[in-house]
């Protein structure tokens, strides 16, 4: 288990899903990292550095869960990470 966080403003699809299943809006990733600067981070629904929230240190990334093609700005890490990319 992990701690959910949002990395940017949510879109209408996410807003709908939260309402539909009675889930509350997770805190911003900045708040999580302020409390624990060394928190492990799993990127969800993206793996390009151009889409990463700038407050996330690259060294904190321990995983990627995505469905997009790997393209020009895919994250590069110094250590092995968990990666699950499926073409849903």
């Amino acid at each position: 288990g992990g701690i959910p966080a949002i990395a940017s403003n949510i879109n209408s699809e996410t807003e709908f899903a939260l309402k539909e299943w009675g889930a509350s809006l997770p805190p911003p990733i900045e708040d999580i990292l302020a409390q624990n600067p060394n928190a492990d981070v799993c990127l969800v629904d993206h793996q390009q550095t151009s889409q990463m929230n700038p407050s996330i240190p690259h060294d904190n990334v321990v995983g990627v869960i995505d469905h997009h093609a790997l393209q020009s700005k895919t994250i590069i890490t110094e250590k092995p990470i968990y990666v699950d990319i499926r073409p849903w």
Side-chain angles (χ1 to χ4, degrees):
I3 300 169
I6 57 170
S8 62
N9 293 330
I10 63 169
N11 61 25
S12 59
E13 292 171 333
T14 302
E15 184 177 359
F16 170 82
L18 291 171
K19 284 183 182 177
E20 182 71 14
W21 287 286
S24 56
L25 183 67
I29 189 65
E30 294 88 349
D31 292 356
I32 302 295
L33 292 171
Q35 294 172 9
N36 182 2
N38 297 318
D40 291 341
V41 175
C42 184
L43 304 178
V44 177
D45 199 32
H46 75 285
Q47 34 47 36
Q48 291 183 306
T49 55
S50 60
Q51 296 178 321
M52 278 180 62
N53 182 305
S55 69
I56 300 172
H58 287 206
D59 289 343
N60 288 35
V61 176
V62 297
V64 171
I65 301 173
D66 199 3
H67 64 103
H68 296 100
L70 299 175
Q71 296 183 351
S72 63
K73 295 186 179 177
T74 297
I75 188 167
I76 297 172
T77 62
E78 295 293 323
K79 59 187 182 275
I81 65 171
Y82 174 81
V83 177
D84 187 348
I85 299 177
R86 302 178 194 200
W88 304 106

